[in-house]
Amino acid sequence: MSETVQSTAGGDERIKEISPLRRALIRPELGGMVGTVAVFTFFLLFAFDSGMFNSQGIMNWSIVSAQFMIIAVGACLLMIAGEFDLSVGSMIGFAGMMIAIFSVTLSWPVWMAILVTFALCVTIGALNGYIVVRTGLPSFIVTLAFLFILRGFTIYLPQTIERKTIIGGIKDVAEGDWLAWVFGGKVFQGFFAWLGDNGLIETFSRGTREGQPVVDGIPMLLIWAIGLIIFGHVLLTKTKFGNWIFAAGGDAEAARNSGVPVNRVKVLMFMFTAFCATVFATCQVMEFGSAGADRGLLKEFEAIIAVVIGGALLTGGYGSVLGAALGALIFGVVQQGLFFAGVESSLFRVFLGVILLGAVILNTYIRRIITGER
């Protein structure tokens, strides 16, 4: 029997050899990689001298991209698990408002306000997942309901308590708070001061900040984005739980028959998506020093678009955190790059739509060629 399954070269005939080129072409992030190269090429050609690629310009589009990356990581893992969360944008607004109410209105310590908000939002994410797995309802419907519920509370609570829909003063109460710094502080400030002193980056030429670097550190928002990308990528590609995520989204029934705790995986992914949305909200609140009832509008769709550009399938079971990060990078570069290139900002969504369509077509076409799908 052993002789019949061995090829003349000594290998197992049941194992199909895949060339390095073929393996590269079927990677989910291929479309995101092509899109990233195309976007940077475009702006290098048309906006190179506009300041887009000096230290301040790079920081501008890096911060915008990092915002998209944070919510895209959660959306990516959830989509690979075969589910959607349309309440992400409302969760961002709700989480920011809860932090403001707890810290400013109720005078809680900011660290306590942040921790309680995280616990509350992750619990809501768990409730989303529990309803989906227990009722069998499409996650699209369940999270659409929570989109309206959370947005309604985000508007109702500040109006009822403060008679307004924007609560400010967060920077004042967050002064010196250790957890507020974790989300709103900056790192490597000494290094950037050294770069400015040695003329390696731009410095202010006049005013009270004369001689100080224009970019004086890396915001914690960027650190959170990088950390979540690394965590998501390692979880998905290097752990047993990552295999469970793929299995749950690929064929849930087959996964259950193989011993995969599909329901638990999906609930945890809803919780992680809520966690990422709350990270985004906390960083945003600490940056602006206020919370508004309209924060987070349409962010759920922007996260899904970034993930799809990155190569994930809407049907689940296929995708890449690195691809989602590239999709978010494209988002940020295009949004800021149009301003630097002098292009009408209203064309941002036109550019984005073209990139989305091109990435999806490229990914689908190459995957069909390689795998023989129809």
Side-chain angles (χ1 to χ4, degrees), residues 6 14 26 80-81 93 144 255-256 260 265 281 343:
Q6 297 295 322
R14 296 167 296 181
I26 61 175
I80 293 173
L144 182 63
R256 286 190 184 93
V260 175
V265 168
V343 179

Side-chain angles (χ1 to χ4, degrees), residues 11-358:
D12 193 334
E13 292 179 344
R14 296 167 296 181
I15 300 176
K16 185 177 181 180
E17 292 292 333
I18 300 178
S19 68
L21 176 61
R22 184 188 181 95
R23 189 178 296 111
L25 289 174
I26 61 175
R27 290 190 64 84
E29 57 268 22
L30 176 65
M33 293 169 63
V34 173
T36 300
V37 171
V39 164
F40 272 96
T41 300
F42 176 86
F43 288 113
L44 281 170
L45 291 174
F46 294 99
F48 182 75
D49 296 327
S50 65
M52 181 177 176
F53 295 99
N54 62 23
S55 59
Q56 188 174 18
I58 291 173
M59 186 59 68
N60 285 341
W61 51 258
S62 294
I63 289 174
V64 174
S65 298
Q67 293 175 345
F68 293 128
M69 287 175 186
I70 289 172
I71 53 177
V73 171
C76 177
L77 294 179
L78 183 60
M79 284 178 61
I80 293 173
E83 305 294 347
F84 289 93
D85 189 347
L86 296 183
S87 67
V88 167
S90 296
M91 182 73 77
I92 291 170
F94 177 78
M97 191 58 69
M98 288 300 97
I99 292 173
I101 290 174
F102 290 147
S103 61
V104 177
T105 305
L106 301 181
S107 300
W108 290 10
V110 175
W111 65 266
M112 183 184 296
I114 293 173
L115 291 179
V116 171
T117 299
F118 266 94
L120 177 61
C121 292
V122 170
T123 300
I124 294 172
L127 179 60
N128 263 332
Y130 180 79
I131 294 174
V132 169
V133 301
R134 293 297 295 177
T135 65
L137 290 171
S139 55
F140 175 92
I141 299 299
V142 174
T143 57
L144 182 63
F146 272 89
L147 179 154
F148 289 105
I149 292 170
L150 292 175
R151 185 63 66 185
F153 275 123
T154 305
I155 298 171
Y156 170 78
L157 291 174
Q159 281 186 333
T160 302
I161 299 172
E162 295 275 4
R163 304 298 181 192
K164 54 188 177 183
T165 57
I166 298 177
I167 299 179
I170 296 176
K171 282 190 176 180
D172 295 332
V173 298
E175 189 71 29
D177 187 276
W178 66 273
L179 194 54
W181 181 88
V182 170
F183 291 93
K186 291 183 178 180
V187 295
F188 303 124
Q189 290 178 293
F191 175 67
F192 279 87
W194 177 83
L195 292 176
D197 292 339
N198 288 273
L200 299 176
I201 60 173
E202 299 87 349
T203 57
F204 290 100
S205 58
R206 60 174 65 89
T208 57
R209 298 190 63 186
E210 182 177 356
Q212 296 183 29
V214 174
V215 177
D216 60 354
I218 297 178
M220 288 301 296
L221 174 75
L222 280 168
I223 304 300
W224 272 103
I226 294 170
L228 286 171
I229 290 169
I230 294 173
F231 171 79
H233 177 69
V234 172
L235 177 71
L236 196 62
T237 61
K238 305 296 183 181
T239 68
K240 179 173 69 174
F241 191 84
N243 291 332
W244 288 357
I245 295 173
F246 281 112
D251 190 330
E253 195 57 39
R256 286 190 184 93
N257 295 335
S258 301
V260 175
V262 172
N263 289 353
R264 184 173 56 164
V265 168
K266 293 194 175 190
V267 171
L268 286 172
M269 289 302 95
F270 275 105
M271 294 171 67
F272 182 66
T273 302
F275 175 85
C276 291
T278 310
V279 170
F280 180 106
T282 308
C283 291
Q284 188 180 64
V285 163
M286 294 305 152
E287 177 187 359
F288 295 138
S290 65
D294 62 343
R295 299 274 172 85
L297 285 173
L298 300 179
K299 290 300 179 186
E300 58 276 351
F301 297 107
E302 292 174 352
I304 291 172
I305 289 172
V307 175
V308 173
I309 289 176
L313 293 180
L314 296 176
T315 52
Y318 186 83
S320 162
V321 171
L322 295 181
L326 289 174
L329 177 62
I330 291 171
F331 235 124
V333 171
V334 171
Q335 186 173 10
Q336 296 297 299
L338 292 179
F339 168 78
F340 285 104
V343 179
E344 173 58 43
S345 60
S346 60
L347 293 176
F348 162 62
R349 300 194 183 280
V350 176
F351 274 72
L352 189 63
V354 171
I355 294 168
L356 171 63
L357 187 61

